[in-house]
Amino acid sequence: MRTIVVFIILVFATTTLSAQLKIGDKIPNFVLINQNNVEVNSNQFKGKFILIDFWASWCAPCRLGNKKLVKLHDDFGADKIHIIGVSLDTDKSKWIKAIEKDKIKFTQLIDPKGFDATTAIQFGVEELPSKFLFNQEGILIAINPSDEEISNYLN
């Protein structure tokens, strides 16, 4: 019996770990809708750095982070980096209000199933905010990089 329990735990741990992105992995393909109900495919963002930021309107650290990302977007512009916010909000109206209030101009998408959302599972998101920085070839180069680390990559 003990052997079976250990085996089940190992299988579960292996399955969970395989869903989590690691440095060197390629950006996963996903299609989500933006605040205008238009489908956006992650494959359309190529040739520039890509920062994917998982957040939610109810998350205070996320909302503070939005202010920093707005500044980063203003400082470097879309010619240097694509910033993609992926909201795990379950209430679309609260998400849209947060985008407006935080004055976010960069790409915003929603996967409305919270931590059970497909993209959250693909990326291995276990807390908010969670950031993933990909280079121009779509290779993951940093998980939860600081603002300074992001700036260093872009300079």
Coordinates of all heavy atoms in Angstrom, one line a residue, residues 50-140:
I50 N 9.1 39.6 -25.3 CA 7.7 39.4 -24.9 C 7.7 39.2 -23.4 O 8.3 38.3 -22.9 CB 7.0 38.2 -25.6 CG1 7.1 38.4 -27.2 CG2 5.6 38.0 -25.2 CD1 6.7 37.1 -27.9
L51 N 6.9 40.1 -22.8 CA 6.7 39.9 -21.3 C 5.2 39.5 -21.1 O 4.3 40.3 -21.5 CB 7.0 41.2 -20.6 CG 6.8 41.1 -19.1 CD1 7.8 40.2 -18.4 CD2 6.9 42.5 -18.4
I52 N 5.0 38.4 -20.6 CA 3.6 37.9 -20.3 C 3.5 38.1 -18.8 O 4.2 37.5 -18.0 CB 3.4 36.5 -20.7 CG1 3.6 36.4 -22.3 CG2 2.0 36.0 -20.3 CD1 3.3 35.1 -22.9
D53 N 2.5 38.9 -18.4 CA 2.2 39.2 -17.0 C 0.8 38.7 -16.6 O -0.2 39.1 -17.2 CB 2.2 40.7 -16.8 CG 1.8 41.1 -15.4 OD1 2.3 40.6 -14.5 OD2 0.9 42.0 -15.3
F54 N 0.8 37.7 -15.8 CA -0.5 37.1 -15.2 C -0.9 38.0 -14.1 O -0.1 38.2 -13.1 CB -0.3 35.7 -14.8 CG -0.2 34.7 -16.0 CD1 1.0 34.5 -16.6 CD2 -1.4 34.1 -16.5 CE1 1.1 33.6 -17.7 CE2 -1.3 33.3 -17.6 CZ -0.1 33.0 -18.2
W55 N -2.1 38.4 -14.0 CA -2.6 39.3 -13.0 C -4.2 39.1 -12.9 O -4.8 38.4 -13.6 CB -2.3 40.7 -13.3 CG -3.0 41.3 -14.5 CD1 -2.9 41.0 -15.8 CD2 -4.1 42.3 -14.4 NE1 -3.8 41.8 -16.6 CE2 -4.5 42.6 -15.8 CE3 -4.7 43.0 -13.4 CZ2 -5.5 43.5 -16.0 CZ3 -5.7 43.9 -13.7 CH2 -6.1 44.1 -15.0
A56 N -4.7 39.9 -11.9 CA -6.2 39.9 -11.8 C -6.6 41.3 -11.1 O -5.7 41.9 -10.4 CB -6.7 38.8 -10.9
S57 N -7.8 41.7 -11.4 CA -8.2 43.0 -10.9 C -8.3 43.1 -9.4 O -8.1 44.1 -8.8 CB -9.6 43.4 -11.5 OG -10.5 42.4 -11.0
W58 N -8.5 41.9 -8.7 CA -8.6 41.9 -7.2 C -7.3 41.8 -6.5 O -7.2 41.8 -5.3 CB -9.5 40.7 -6.8 CG -9.1 39.4 -7.5 CD1 -9.7 38.9 -8.6 CD2 -8.1 38.5 -7.1 NE1 -9.1 37.7 -9.0 CE2 -8.1 37.5 -8.1 CE3 -7.1 38.5 -6.1 CZ2 -7.2 36.4 -8.0 CZ3 -6.2 37.4 -6.1 CH2 -6.3 36.4 -7.0
C59 N -6.2 41.7 -7.3 CA -4.9 41.4 -6.7 C -4.1 42.8 -6.5 O -3.7 43.4 -7.5 CB -4.1 40.5 -7.7 SG -2.3 40.4 -7.3
A60 N -4.0 43.2 -5.3 CA -3.3 44.5 -5.0 C -1.9 44.6 -5.6 O -1.6 45.6 -6.2 CB -3.4 44.9 -3.5
P61 N -1.0 43.6 -5.4 CA 0.3 43.7 -5.9 C 0.3 43.7 -7.5 O 1.2 44.4 -8.1 CB 1.0 42.4 -5.4 CG 0.2 42.0 -4.2 CD -1.2 42.5 -4.5
C62 N -0.7 43.1 -8.1 CA -0.8 43.1 -9.5 C -1.1 44.5 -10.0 O -0.6 45.0 -11.0 CB -1.9 42.2 -10.0 SG -1.7 40.5 -9.6
R63 N -2.0 45.2 -9.3 CA -2.4 46.5 -9.7 C -1.3 47.5 -9.6 O -1.1 48.4 -10.4 CB -3.6 47.0 -8.9 CG -4.9 46.1 -9.0 CD -5.5 46.1 -10.4 NE -6.0 47.3 -10.8 CZ -7.2 47.8 -10.5 NH1 -8.0 47.0 -9.8 NH2 -7.6 49.0 -10.9
L64 N -0.5 47.4 -8.5 CA 0.8 48.2 -8.4 C 1.7 47.9 -9.5 O 2.3 48.8 -10.1 CB 1.4 47.9 -7.0 CG 0.7 48.5 -5.8 CD1 1.4 48.0 -4.5 CD2 0.7 50.0 -5.9
G65 N 1.8 46.6 -9.9 CA 2.7 46.2 -11.0 C 2.2 46.7 -12.3 O 3.1 47.0 -13.2
N66 N 0.9 46.9 -12.5 CA 0.4 47.5 -13.7 C 1.0 48.9 -13.9 O 1.3 49.2 -15.1 CB -1.1 47.5 -13.7 CG -1.8 46.2 -14.0 OD1 -1.1 45.3 -14.4 ND2 -3.1 46.1 -13.7
K67 N 1.1 49.6 -12.9 CA 1.6 51.0 -13.0 C 3.1 51.0 -13.5 O 3.5 51.7 -14.3 CB 1.5 51.7 -11.7 CG 0.1 52.1 -11.2 CD 0.1 52.7 -9.9 CE -1.4 52.9 -9.5 NZ -1.5 53.6 -8.3
K68 N 3.8 50.0 -13.0 CA 5.2 49.9 -13.4 C 5.3 49.4 -14.9 O 6.2 49.8 -15.6 CB 6.0 48.9 -12.5 CG 6.1 49.4 -11.1 CD 6.8 48.4 -10.2 CE 6.9 49.0 -8.8 NZ 7.6 48.0 -7.9
L69 N 4.4 48.5 -15.2 CA 4.4 48.0 -16.6 C 4.0 49.1 -17.6 O 4.5 49.1 -18.7 CB 3.5 46.8 -16.8 CG 4.0 45.5 -16.1 CD1 3.0 44.4 -16.2 CD2 5.4 45.1 -16.6
V70 N 3.0 49.9 -17.2 CA 2.6 51.1 -18.0 C 3.8 52.0 -18.3 O 4.1 52.4 -19.4 CB 1.5 51.8 -17.4 CG1 1.3 53.2 -18.1 CG2 0.2 51.0 -17.5
K71 N 4.6 52.2 -17.2 CA 5.8 53.0 -17.4 C 6.9 52.3 -18.3 O 7.5 53.0 -19.1 CB 6.4 53.3 -16.0 CG 7.7 54.2 -16.1 CD 8.2 54.6 -14.7 CE 9.4 55.4 -14.7 NZ 10.1 55.8 -15.9
L72 N 7.1 51.0 -18.1 CA 8.0 50.3 -18.9 C 7.6 50.3 -20.4 O 8.4 50.6 -21.2 CB 8.0 48.8 -18.4 CG 9.0 47.9 -19.2 CD1 10.4 48.1 -18.8 CD2 8.6 46.4 -19.0
H73 N 6.3 50.2 -20.6 CA 5.8 50.3 -22.0 C 6.0 51.7 -22.6 O 6.4 51.8 -23.7 CB 4.3 49.9 -22.0 CG 3.7 49.9 -23.3 ND1 2.9 50.9 -23.8 CD2 3.7 49.0 -24.3 CE1 2.5 50.6 -25.0 NE2 3.0 49.4 -25.4
D74 N 5.8 52.7 -21.8 CA 6.0 54.1 -22.2 C 7.5 54.3 -22.5 O 7.8 55.0 -23.5 CB 5.5 55.1 -21.2 CG 4.0 55.1 -21.1 OD1 3.3 54.6 -22.0 OD2 3.5 55.7 -20.1
D75 N 8.3 53.8 -21.6 CA 9.8 54.0 -21.8 C 10.4 53.3 -23.0 O 11.2 53.9 -23.7 CB 10.5 53.5 -20.5 CG 10.3 54.4 -19.3 OD1 9.7 55.5 -19.5 OD2 10.7 54.0 -18.2
F76 N 10.0 52.1 -23.2 CA 10.6 51.3 -24.3 C 9.8 51.2 -25.5 O 10.3 51.0 -26.6 CB 11.0 49.9 -23.8 CG 12.1 49.9 -22.8 CD1 12.0 49.9 -21.5 CD2 13.4 49.9 -23.3 CE1 13.0 49.9 -20.6 CE2 14.5 50.0 -22.5 CZ 14.3 49.9 -21.1
G77 N 8.5 51.3 -25.4 CA 7.6 51.2 -26.6 C 7.4 49.9 -27.2 O 8.2 48.9 -26.9
A78 N 6.4 49.7 -28.0 CA 6.1 48.5 -28.6 C 7.1 48.0 -29.7 O 7.1 46.9 -30.1 CB 4.7 48.6 -29.3
D79 N 8.0 48.9 -30.1 CA 9.1 48.5 -31.0 C 10.1 47.7 -30.4 O 10.9 46.9 -31.0 CB 9.7 49.7 -31.7 CG 10.3 50.7 -30.7 OD1 9.8 50.9 -29.6 OD2 11.4 51.3 -31.1
K80 N 10.2 47.7 -29.1 CA 11.3 46.9 -28.3 C 10.7 45.7 -27.6 O 11.4 44.7 -27.5 CB 11.9 47.9 -27.3 CG 13.2 47.4 -26.8 CD 14.3 47.8 -27.6 CE 15.6 47.9 -26.8 NZ 16.8 47.7 -27.6
I81 N 9.5 45.8 -27.0 CA 8.9 44.8 -26.2 C 7.4 44.7 -26.4 O 6.7 45.8 -26.5 CB 9.3 44.9 -24.7 CG1 8.8 43.7 -23.9 CG2 8.8 46.2 -24.2 CD1 9.3 43.7 -22.5
H82 N 6.9 43.5 -26.5 CA 5.4 43.3 -26.4 C 5.1 42.9 -25.0 O 5.7 42.0 -24.5 CB 5.0 42.1 -27.3 CG 5.0 42.4 -28.8 ND1 4.3 43.3 -29.4 CD2 5.8 41.8 -29.7 CE1 4.6 43.3 -30.7 NE2 5.5 42.4 -30.9
I83 N 4.2 43.7 -24.3 CA 3.8 43.3 -23.0 C 2.4 42.8 -23.2 O 1.5 43.4 -23.8 CB 3.8 44.5 -22.0 CG1 5.2 45.1 -21.9 CG2 3.3 44.1 -20.7 CD1 5.3 46.4 -21.1
I84 N 2.1 41.6 -22.6 CA 0.8 41.0 -22.7 C 0.4 40.6 -21.3 O 0.9 39.8 -20.6 CB 0.9 39.6 -23.6 CG1 1.5 39.9 -24.9 CG2 -0.4 39.0 -23.7 CD1 1.9 38.7 -25.7
G85 N -0.7 41.3 -20.9 CA -1.3 41.0 -19.7 C -2.3 39.9 -19.9 O -3.2 40.0 -20.8
V86 N -2.3 38.9 -19.0 CA -3.2 37.8 -19.1 C -4.0 37.8 -17.7 O -3.4 37.5 -16.7 CB -2.6 36.4 -19.3 CG1 -3.6 35.3 -19.3 CG2 -1.9 36.4 -20.7
S87 N -5.2 38.2 -17.7 CA -6.0 38.3 -16.5 C -6.6 36.9 -16.2 O -7.1 36.2 -17.1 CB -7.1 39.3 -16.7 OG -8.0 39.2 -15.5
L88 N -6.6 36.6 -14.9 CA -7.2 35.3 -14.5 C -8.6 35.7 -13.8 O -9.1 34.9 -13.0 CB -6.3 34.6 -13.5 CG -5.0 34.1 -14.2 CD1 -4.2 33.2 -13.2 CD2 -5.2 33.3 -15.4
D89 N -9.0 36.9 -14.0 CA -10.3 37.3 -13.5 C -11.5 36.4 -13.9 O -11.5 36.0 -15.1 CB -10.7 38.8 -13.9 CG -10.0 39.8 -13.0 OD1 -10.5 39.9 -11.9 OD2 -9.1 40.5 -13.5
T90 N -12.4 36.2 -13.1 CA -13.6 35.4 -13.5 C -14.7 36.4 -13.8 O -15.7 35.9 -14.4 CB -14.0 34.4 -12.3 OG1 -14.2 35.2 -11.1 CG2 -13.0 33.4 -12.1
D91 N -14.6 37.6 -13.5 CA -15.6 38.6 -13.8 C -15.0 39.6 -14.8 O -14.2 40.5 -14.5 CB -16.0 39.4 -12.5 CG -17.1 40.4 -12.7 OD1 -17.3 40.9 -13.9 OD2 -17.9 40.7 -11.8
K92 N -15.4 39.5 -16.1 CA -14.9 40.3 -17.2 C -15.1 41.8 -16.9 O -14.2 42.6 -17.3 CB -15.5 39.8 -18.5 CG -14.9 40.4 -19.7 CD -15.4 39.9 -21.0 CE -14.8 40.5 -22.2 NZ -15.4 40.1 -23.4
S93 N -16.2 42.2 -16.4 CA -16.5 43.6 -16.2 C -15.4 44.2 -15.2 O -15.0 45.4 -15.4 CB -17.9 43.9 -15.7 OG -18.1 43.3 -14.4
K94 N -15.1 43.5 -14.2 CA -14.1 44.0 -13.2 C -12.7 44.2 -13.9 O -11.9 45.1 -13.6 CB -14.0 43.2 -12.0 CG -15.2 43.3 -11.1 CD -15.1 42.4 -9.9 CE -16.4 42.5 -9.0 NZ -16.4 41.7 -7.9
W95 N -12.4 43.2 -14.7 CA -11.1 43.2 -15.5 C -11.1 44.5 -16.4 O -10.1 45.2 -16.4 CB -11.0 41.9 -16.3 CG -10.0 41.9 -17.4 CD1 -8.6 42.1 -17.2 CD2 -10.2 41.7 -18.8 NE1 -8.0 41.9 -18.4 CE2 -8.9 41.7 -19.4 CE3 -11.3 41.5 -19.6 CZ2 -8.8 41.5 -20.8 CZ3 -11.1 41.3 -20.9 CH2 -9.9 41.3 -21.5
I96 N -12.2 44.7 -17.1 CA -12.2 45.9 -18.0 C -12.1 47.2 -17.3 O -11.4 48.1 -17.7 CB -13.5 45.8 -18.9 CG1 -13.3 44.7 -19.9 CG2 -13.7 47.2 -19.6 CD1 -14.6 44.4 -20.7
K97 N -12.8 47.3 -16.1 CA -12.7 48.5 -15.3 C -11.2 48.7 -14.8 O -10.7 49.8 -14.8 CB -13.6 48.4 -14.1 CG -15.1 48.6 -14.5 CD -16.0 48.5 -13.2 CE -17.4 48.5 -13.7 NZ -18.3 48.2 -12.6
A98 N -10.5 47.6 -14.4 CA -9.2 47.7 -14.0 C -8.2 48.2 -15.1 O -7.3 49.0 -14.9 CB -8.7 46.4 -13.4
I99 N -8.5 47.7 -16.3 CA -7.7 48.2 -17.5 C -7.8 49.7 -17.7 O -6.8 50.4 -17.8 CB -8.1 47.4 -18.8 CG1 -7.7 45.9 -18.7 CG2 -7.4 48.1 -20.0 CD1 -8.3 45.1 -19.8
E100 N -9.0 50.1 -17.6 CA -9.3 51.6 -17.8 C -8.7 52.4 -16.6 O -8.1 53.4 -16.9 CB -10.8 51.8 -17.9 CG -11.4 51.2 -19.1 CD -13.0 51.2 -19.1 OE1 -13.6 51.6 -18.1 OE2 -13.5 50.7 -20.1
K101 N -8.9 51.9 -15.4 CA -8.5 52.7 -14.3 C -6.9 52.7 -14.2 O -6.3 53.8 -13.9 CB -9.0 52.1 -13.0 CG -8.6 52.9 -11.7 CD -9.3 52.4 -10.5 CE -8.9 53.3 -9.3 NZ -9.5 52.9 -8.1
D102 N -6.3 51.6 -14.6 CA -4.8 51.6 -14.6 C -4.2 52.2 -15.9 O -3.0 52.2 -16.0 CB -4.3 50.1 -14.4 CG -4.7 49.6 -13.0 OD1 -5.2 50.3 -12.2 OD2 -4.5 48.3 -12.8
K103 N -5.0 52.6 -16.8 CA -4.6 53.3 -18.0 C -3.6 52.4 -18.9 O -2.6 52.8 -19.4 CB -3.9 54.6 -17.8 CG -4.9 55.6 -17.1 CD -4.2 56.9 -16.8 CE -5.2 58.0 -16.4 NZ -5.5 58.0 -15.0
I104 N -4.0 51.1 -19.0 CA -3.1 50.1 -19.7 C -3.4 50.2 -21.2 O -4.5 50.1 -21.6 CB -3.5 48.7 -19.2 CG1 -3.2 48.6 -17.7 CG2 -2.6 47.7 -20.0 CD1 -3.6 47.2 -17.1
K105 N -2.3 50.4 -21.9 CA -2.4 50.6 -23.4 C -1.9 49.3 -24.1 O -2.1 49.1 -25.3 CB -1.6 51.8 -23.9 CG -2.1 53.1 -23.2 CD -3.2 53.7 -23.9 CE -3.5 55.1 -23.5 NZ -4.3 55.2 -22.3
F106 N -1.1 48.5 -23.4 CA -0.6 47.3 -24.0 C -1.6 46.2 -24.1 O -2.7 46.3 -23.5 CB 0.8 46.9 -23.4 CG 0.7 46.7 -21.9 CD1 0.3 45.6 -21.3 CD2 1.1 47.8 -21.1 CE1 0.2 45.4 -19.9 CE2 1.0 47.7 -19.7 CZ 0.6 46.5 -19.1
T107 N -1.3 45.1 -24.8 CA -2.2 44.0 -25.0 C -2.7 43.4 -23.7 O -2.0 43.1 -22.8 CB -1.5 42.9 -25.8 OG1 -1.1 43.5 -27.1 CG2 -2.5 41.8 -26.1
Q108 N -4.1 43.3 -23.6 CA -4.7 42.7 -22.5 C -5.6 41.5 -22.9 O -6.4 41.7 -23.8 CB -5.5 43.7 -21.7 CG -4.7 44.7 -20.9 CD -3.9 44.0 -19.8 OE1 -4.5 43.3 -19.0 NE2 -2.6 44.2 -19.8
L109 N -5.4 40.4 -22.3 CA -6.2 39.2 -22.6 C -6.8 38.6 -21.3 O -6.3 38.9 -20.2 CB -5.3 38.1 -23.3 CG -4.5 38.6 -24.5 CD1 -3.5 37.5 -24.9 CD2 -5.4 39.0 -25.6
I110 N -7.8 37.8 -21.5 CA -8.4 37.2 -20.3 C -8.6 35.7 -20.5 O -8.9 35.2 -21.6 CB -9.8 37.9 -19.9 CG1 -10.3 37.4 -18.6 CG2 -10.8 37.7 -21.0 CD1 -11.5 38.2 -18.0
D111 N -8.3 35.0 -19.4 CA -8.6 33.5 -19.4 C -9.4 33.3 -18.1 O -8.8 33.2 -17.0 CB -7.3 32.7 -19.3 CG -7.4 31.3 -19.8 OD1 -8.6 30.8 -19.8 OD2 -6.4 30.6 -20.1
P112 N -10.7 33.4 -18.2 CA -11.6 33.7 -17.0 C -11.9 32.5 -16.1 O -12.9 32.5 -15.5 CB -12.9 34.1 -17.7 CG -12.9 33.4 -19.0 CD -11.5 33.4 -19.4
K113 N -11.0 31.6 -16.0 CA -11.2 30.4 -15.1 C -10.2 30.5 -13.9 O -10.0 29.4 -13.3 CB -11.1 29.1 -15.8 CG -12.1 28.9 -16.9 CD -12.1 27.6 -17.5 CE -13.2 27.5 -18.6 NZ -13.0 26.2 -19.3
G114 N -9.7 31.6 -13.5 CA -8.8 31.8 -12.4 C -7.6 30.9 -12.5 O -7.1 30.7 -13.6
F115 N -7.2 30.3 -11.5 CA -6.0 29.4 -11.5 C -6.2 28.1 -12.2 O -5.2 27.4 -12.5 CB -5.4 29.2 -10.1 CG -4.8 30.4 -9.5 CD1 -5.5 31.2 -8.6 CD2 -3.5 30.7 -9.8 CE1 -4.9 32.3 -8.0 CE2 -2.9 31.8 -9.3 CZ -3.6 32.7 -8.4
D116 N -7.4 27.8 -12.6 CA -7.7 26.6 -13.4 C -7.7 26.9 -14.9 O -8.0 26.1 -15.7 CB -9.1 26.1 -13.0 CG -9.1 25.5 -11.6 OD1 -8.1 25.0 -11.2 OD2 -10.2 25.6 -11.0
A117 N -7.4 28.2 -15.2 CA -7.3 28.6 -16.6 C -6.3 27.8 -17.4 O -5.2 27.5 -16.8 CB -7.1 30.1 -16.7
T118 N -6.5 27.5 -18.6 CA -5.6 26.7 -19.4 C -4.2 27.4 -19.5 O -3.2 26.7 -19.3 CB -6.1 26.6 -20.9 OG1 -7.4 26.0 -20.8 CG2 -5.2 25.7 -21.7
T119 N -4.1 28.7 -19.7 CA -2.8 29.4 -19.8 C -2.1 29.3 -18.4 O -0.9 29.2 -18.4 CB -2.9 30.8 -20.3 OG1 -3.9 31.5 -19.5 CG2 -3.3 30.9 -21.7
A120 N -2.8 29.5 -17.4 CA -2.2 29.4 -16.0 C -1.6 28.1 -15.8 O -0.5 28.0 -15.3 CB -3.3 29.7 -14.9
I121 N -2.3 27.0 -16.2 CA -1.7 25.7 -16.1 C -0.5 25.5 -17.0 O 0.5 25.0 -16.6 CB -2.8 24.6 -16.4 CG1 -3.9 24.7 -15.3 CG2 -2.2 23.2 -16.5 CD1 -5.2 24.0 -15.5
Q122 N -0.6 26.0 -18.3 CA 0.5 25.9 -19.2 C 1.8 26.5 -18.7 O 2.8 26.0 -18.9 CB 0.1 26.6 -20.6 CG -0.7 25.8 -21.6 CD -0.9 26.7 -22.8 OE1 -1.3 27.8 -22.7 NE2 -0.6 26.1 -23.9
F123 N 1.6 27.7 -18.1 CA 2.8 28.4 -17.6 C 3.2 28.0 -16.2 O 4.2 28.3 -15.7 CB 2.5 29.9 -17.6 CG 2.6 30.6 -19.0 CD1 1.6 30.4 -19.9 CD2 3.7 31.3 -19.3 CE1 1.7 31.0 -21.2 CE2 3.8 31.9 -20.5 CZ 2.8 31.7 -21.5
G124 N 2.3 27.3 -15.5 CA 2.6 26.9 -14.1 C 2.4 28.0 -13.1 O 3.1 28.1 -12.1
V125 N 1.4 28.9 -13.4 CA 1.2 30.0 -12.5 C 0.5 29.5 -11.2 O -0.5 28.9 -11.3 CB 0.3 31.0 -13.2 CG1 -0.2 32.1 -12.3 CG2 0.9 31.6 -14.5
E126 N 1.2 29.8 -10.1 CA 0.7 29.4 -8.8 C 0.4 30.6 -7.9 O -0.1 30.5 -6.8 CB 1.6 28.5 -8.2 CG 1.8 27.2 -8.9 CD 2.8 26.3 -8.3 OE1 3.6 26.7 -7.5 OE2 2.9 25.1 -8.8
E127 N 0.8 31.8 -8.4 CA 0.6 33.0 -7.6 C 0.5 34.2 -8.5 O 1.0 34.2 -9.7 CB 1.7 33.3 -6.6 CG 3.1 33.5 -7.2 CD 4.2 33.6 -6.2 OE1 4.0 33.3 -5.0 OE2 5.3 34.0 -6.6
L128 N -0.1 35.3 -8.1 CA -0.2 36.5 -8.9 C 0.5 37.6 -8.1 O 0.4 37.7 -6.9 CB -1.7 36.9 -9.1 CG -2.5 35.9 -9.9 CD1 -3.9 36.4 -10.1 CD2 -1.8 35.7 -11.3
P129 N 1.1 38.5 -8.8 CA 1.4 38.5 -10.3 C 2.5 37.5 -10.6 O 3.3 37.1 -9.7 CB 1.9 39.9 -10.6 CG 2.5 40.4 -9.3 CD 1.7 39.8 -8.2
S130 N 2.5 37.0 -11.8 CA 3.6 36.1 -12.3 C 4.0 36.6 -13.7 O 3.1 36.9 -14.5 CB 3.1 34.7 -12.4 OG 3.0 34.1 -11.2
K131 N 5.3 36.8 -13.9 CA 5.8 37.3 -15.2 C 6.7 36.4 -15.8 O 7.5 35.7 -15.1 CB 6.5 38.7 -14.9 CG 5.7 39.8 -14.4 CD 6.5 41.1 -14.4 CE 5.7 42.2 -13.7 NZ 6.0 42.3 -12.3
F132 N 6.7 36.3 -17.1 CA 7.5 35.5 -17.9 C 8.1 36.3 -19.1 O 7.3 36.9 -19.9 CB 6.7 34.3 -18.5 CG 6.1 33.4 -17.4 CD1 4.9 33.8 -16.8 CD2 6.8 32.3 -17.0 CE1 4.4 33.0 -15.8 CE2 6.3 31.5 -15.9 CZ 5.1 31.9 -15.4
L133 N 9.4 36.4 -19.2 CA 10.1 37.2 -20.2 C 10.7 36.3 -21.2 O 11.5 35.4 -20.9 CB 11.2 38.1 -19.6 CG 11.9 39.0 -20.6 CD1 11.0 40.0 -21.2 CD2 13.1 39.7 -19.8
F134 N 10.3 36.5 -22.5 CA 10.8 35.7 -23.6 C 11.7 36.6 -24.5 O 11.4 37.8 -24.7 CB 9.7 35.2 -24.4 CG 8.8 34.2 -23.7 CD1 7.8 34.6 -22.9 CD2 9.1 32.8 -23.8 CE1 7.0 33.7 -22.2 CE2 8.3 31.9 -23.1 CZ 7.2 32.4 -22.3
N135 N 12.7 36.1 -25.1 CA 13.6 36.8 -26.0 C 13.0 36.9 -27.4 O 11.8 36.4 -27.6 CB 15.0 36.3 -26.0 CG 15.1 34.9 -26.7 OD1 14.1 34.4 -27.3 ND2 16.2 34.2 -26.5
Q136 N 13.7 37.5 -28.3 CA 13.1 37.8 -29.7 C 12.8 36.5 -30.4 O 12.1 36.4 -31.4 CB 14.1 38.6 -30.5 CG 14.4 39.9 -29.9 CD 15.6 40.0 -29.0 OE1 15.9 39.0 -28.3 NE2 16.4 41.1 -29.1
E137 N 13.4 35.4 -30.0 CA 13.2 34.1 -30.6 C 12.1 33.3 -29.9 O 11.8 32.2 -30.3 CB 14.5 33.2 -30.7 CG 15.5 33.7 -31.6 CD 16.3 34.9 -31.0 OE1 16.6 34.9 -29.8 OE2 16.6 35.8 -31.8
G138 N 11.5 33.9 -28.9 CA 10.4 33.2 -28.2 C 10.8 32.2 -27.2 O 10.1 31.3 -26.8
I139 N 12.1 32.4 -26.7 CA 12.6 31.5 -25.7 C 12.5 32.2 -24.3 O 12.9 33.3 -24.1 CB 14.1 31.2 -26.0 CG1 14.3 30.6 -27.4 CG2 14.7 30.2 -24.9 CD1 13.6 29.3 -27.6
L140 N 12.1 31.4 -23.3 CA 11.9 32.0 -22.0 C 13.3 32.2 -21.4 O 14.2 31.3 -21.3 CB 11.2 31.0 -21.1 CG 10.9 31.4 -19.6 CD1 10.1 32.7 -19.6 CD2 10.3 30.3 -18.8

